[in-house]
Amino acid sequence: MTEETNVTNTATEAPLTTIARIGEHEGKTITLRGWLYNLRESGKLLFPIFRDGSGTIQGIVPKAAVAPEVFERIKGLTQESSVIVTGKVRADHRAPGGYELDVENVEVVQRVPEDTPFPISLKEHGTDFLMEHRHLWIRTPRQSAILRIRAEIIKAARDFLDDNGFILTDPPILTPAACEGTSTLFPVEYFGDEAYLTQSGQLYIESTALALGKVYSFGPTFRAEKSKTRRHLTEFWMVEPEWAYAGLDDLMGLAEQFISFIVGRVLTRRAADLKVLGRDVAKLQSIQAPFPRLSYDEAAQMLNDAHAKGLLEHPFEYGNDFGSPDETYISSQFDRPVMVHRYPAAVKAFYMEPDPENSKYALCVDVLAPEGYGEIIGGSQRISSYELLKQRIEDHQLPLEAFQWYLDLRRYGSVPHSGFGMGIERAVAWICGLEHVRETIPFARTLNRIYP
Ligand code: 4AD
Ligand code: MG
């Protein structure tokens, strides 16, 4: 069924390069290894578009310029056939990447047969169909650009923390207890006991922070989210710094530096990908510390005023956590992320330090991204008193035995300490300007999808 050639026999004189680096070879003949993304034909001219994972480039094949069998071979190519292409690089200011390829030869590694064409043709497809074919959808230029930006965001987050003295410490994935509320736990049978997939590495990195001072974790986290929203996944990746002797103000300073650094990195290193996505980069260029800071009470006041003026449909009920429309309204008032701090302790997690000025509030912060992307960071100062922490565990009806080790951190050299978690997918959605988090991760896990 398939036509294959032996890849190891395809060595040519022309140096192997990638589309991303093609500018280094202007005027020279090079080799690319990739796939056919699209093919247009116009009389005696063929315009194949190749992709190689680093980008796409248009080739030009005039009938007169190549051997007849080469012309026929390219003319017969089907979408996503794998090919090894040789051609001369030519600068062209009209080309999206600035270059075109005068194709000299194409070797077919595997030709996709006509009777089983690549399912994702260049026409529009519905989201369900695309998600069902996610393993193939990621080959399209837009999805590939998103995945490259995701990798850049992760690298930037890690570089920032590494360069600022935070030591990477990996918490376990299988855990005996809840960190972020018992309603979103994924249970796993653990040799006759019940364990859970981690919701956050926080509790564990609090202990590594007391060992190493400044630490972070980066890894997958899990929440059995029963709501279908454009911001929630059941499996997502979180980067979490934790910092001994730091208070809430230190933490907010860290968060704004961290986010500004990441956005700056993407702007400089992934400009071409942002262009593929049609992202308005002016909106990203304004992301620079310091970020506005609002207390929960100030934010609540802002929502009440907005409702009174008819700008917000539903009234905000003081004391609740903010809903999506609330977060969207608050963030729409600023051109950079806004840090909302000191929420009522009652709506936040058990481990948060109460505000010494008014214990009704927690020393916590949520960072809301601009343009309606909602919360990207959640963090807090942690309770350092043994008695208070034990009380909170009991108040939240959490199993005290499972938290004895965590209480030890307050028995032996307890200090004020703070940390936050940033959801990678939320950050990718915002920086890329995407509608939904399902496009921010190679294989999204959501309430009603676990295939492929
Ligand atoms: O606000 P959260 O629940 O905070 C924690 O888990 C803390 N223990 C973190 C810490 O202090 N070390 O989650 C942190 C971030 C959110 O701001 C959001 O970006 C992301 O994780 N997040 C999700 N992302 C995608 N899907 C979900 N279901 C998410 N839940 C949280
Ligand atoms: Mg949160």
Side-chain angles (χ1 to χ4, degrees):
M1 269 211 24
T2 59
E3 298 166 19
E4 288 189 339
T5 61
N6 188 344
V7 182
T8 54
N9 284 343
T10 57
T12 66
E13 294 298 307
L16 185 65
T17 187
T18 60
I19 294 168
R21 304 189 62 168
I22 210 141
E24 297 166 21
H25 301 269
E26 196 192 330
K28 308 230 172 64
T29 297
I30 51 90
T31 301
L32 294 173
R33 299 196 289 204
W35 295 265
L36 181 87
Y37 172 61
N38 191 16
L39 178 65
R40 277 193 308 119
E41 205 181 326
S42 159
K44 293 191 160 107
L45 281 175
L46 300 177
F47 297 100
I49 298 178
F50 301 107
R51 61 169 198 89
D52 74 346
S54 76
T56 56
I57 191 166
Q58 174 163 282
I60 295 181
V61 195
K63 192 166 187 175
V66 293
E69 68 273 17
V70 172
F71 191 82
E72 288 310 311
R73 203 185 301 144
I74 300 172
K75 194 173 164 178
L77 278 179
T78 43
Q79 194 192 349
E80 283 306 311
S81 290
S82 37
V83 287
I84 297 175
V85 185
T86 312
K88 196 183 224 175
V89 181
R90 182 168 34 76
D92 185 326
H93 67 274
R94 293 161 307 177
Y99 298 92
E100 283 192 340
L101 197 66
D102 290 322
V103 178
E104 293 168 9
N105 196 9
V106 167
E107 227 170 299
V108 181
V109 180
Q110 188 248 334
R111 185 172 175 279
V112 176
E114 262 91 6
D115 54 351
T116 54
F118 188 67
I120 303 175
S121 59
L122 300 180
K123 65 171 209 248
E124 294 268 311
H125 294 281
T127 304
D128 275 345
F129 179 85
L130 292 169
M131 287 305 287
E132 196 73 11
H133 294 86
R134 182 64 176 164
H135 51 299
L136 304 175
W137 187 24
I138 51 179
R139 298 185 185 194
T140 59
R142 209 181 136 77
Q143 297 303 315
S144 297
I146 295 168
L147 295 186
R148 284 188 295 265
I149 293 172
R150 175 188 171 95
E152 198 68 58
I153 289 171
I154 292 169
K155 168 120 175 76
R158 296 209 38 197
D159 282 351
F160 177 89
L161 293 169
D162 290 341
D163 294 348
N164 282 281
F166 290 82
I167 307 293
L168 176 71
T169 59
D170 305 311
I173 305 292
L174 292 167
T175 61
C179 176
E180 294 298 323
T182 48
S183 64
T184 59
L185 285 172
F186 271 118
V188 204
E189 201 269 339
Y190 196 75
F191 307 113
D193 280 335
E194 189 167 70
Y196 309 99
L197 297 178
T198 185
Q199 298 170 308
S200 156
Q202 181 197 318
L203 307 188
Y204 292 94
I205 59 171
E206 283 184 54
S207 73
T208 58
L210 298 197
L212 301 165
K214 293 163 86 174
V215 299
Y216 72 101
S217 64
F218 171 64
T221 48
F222 304 85
R223 308 240 175 131
E225 301 279 2
K226 287 172 198 89
S227 55
K228 251 176 87 174
T229 82
R230 59 195 192 91
R231 297 176 183 173
H232 289 90
L233 296 168
T234 54
E235 178 181 308
F236 60 99
W237 288 66
M238 216 193 314
V239 55
E240 302 181 78
E242 191 72 31
W243 187 3
Y245 284 105
L248 180 62
D249 275 340
D250 301 311
L251 191 69
M252 290 198 275
L254 180 70
E256 64 194 4
Q257 294 298 331
F258 180 70
I259 292 175
S260 308
F261 178 84
I262 293 170
V263 171
R265 263 286 184 85
V266 173
L267 281 169
T268 50
R269 297 196 181 174
R270 289 287 159 203
D273 289 322
L274 290 170
K275 201 166 157 195
V276 169
L277 299 177
R279 183 66 168 112
D280 179 355
V281 289
K283 292 219 163 72
L284 296 178
Q285 277 153 353
S286 59
I287 309 306
Q288 293 190 21
F291 295 166
R293 300 178 184 199
L294 279 185
S295 68
Y296 170 91
D297 281 7
E298 288 165 337
Q301 185 62 52
M302 184 182 260
L303 293 171
N304 285 335
D305 294 347
H307 179 65
K309 287 187 204 143
L311 300 171
L312 200 63
E313 194 183 337
H314 298 288
F316 177 68
E317 218 171 290
Y318 184 86
N320 283 355
D321 206 344
F322 301 123
S324 272
D326 304 322
E327 288 183 352
T328 299
Y329 181 80
I330 297 166
S331 69
S332 71
Q333 304 305 298
F334 304 94
D335 68 344
R336 56 197 80 193
V338 49
M339 302 201 280
V340 183
H341 55 86
R342 294 178 173 80
Y343 285 64
V347 296
K348 289 291 181 184
F350 73 94
Y351 50 70
M352 293 183 180
E353 186 78 273
D355 185 352
E357 313 233 310
N358 183 346
S359 61
K360 211 178 84 192
Y361 299 104
L363 291 180
C364 64
V365 60
D366 276 6
V367 181
L368 310 181
E371 303 173 69
Y373 281 93
E375 178 197 331
I376 49 169
I377 278 183
S380 66
Q381 187 170 325
R382 322 306 190 185
I383 291 175
S384 55
S385 146
Y386 173 85
E387 287 73 25
L388 181 60
L389 184 60
K390 180 162 175 278
Q391 186 60 53
R392 286 292 167 81
I393 292 171
E394 286 167 353
D395 294 347
H396 282 77
Q397 296 175 336
L398 294 166
L400 204 51
E401 329 74 69
F403 288 95
Q404 284 306 328
W405 70 271
Y406 185 59
L407 282 162
D408 270 353
L409 307 179
R410 280 74 182 171
R411 285 188 183 103
Y412 307 112
S414 188
V415 296
H417 59 286
S418 303
F420 65 71
M422 183 180 81
I424 294 293
E425 293 73 19
R426 298 261 182 102
V428 175
W430 162 51
I431 292 172
C432 291
L434 308 176
E435 275 287 302
H436 198 292
V437 286
R438 68 183 155 229
E439 290 183 44
T440 64
I441 182 165
F443 294 94
R445 294 291 171 249
T446 53
L447 181 59
N448 42 24
R449 176 169 295 285
I450 196 163
Y451 176 91

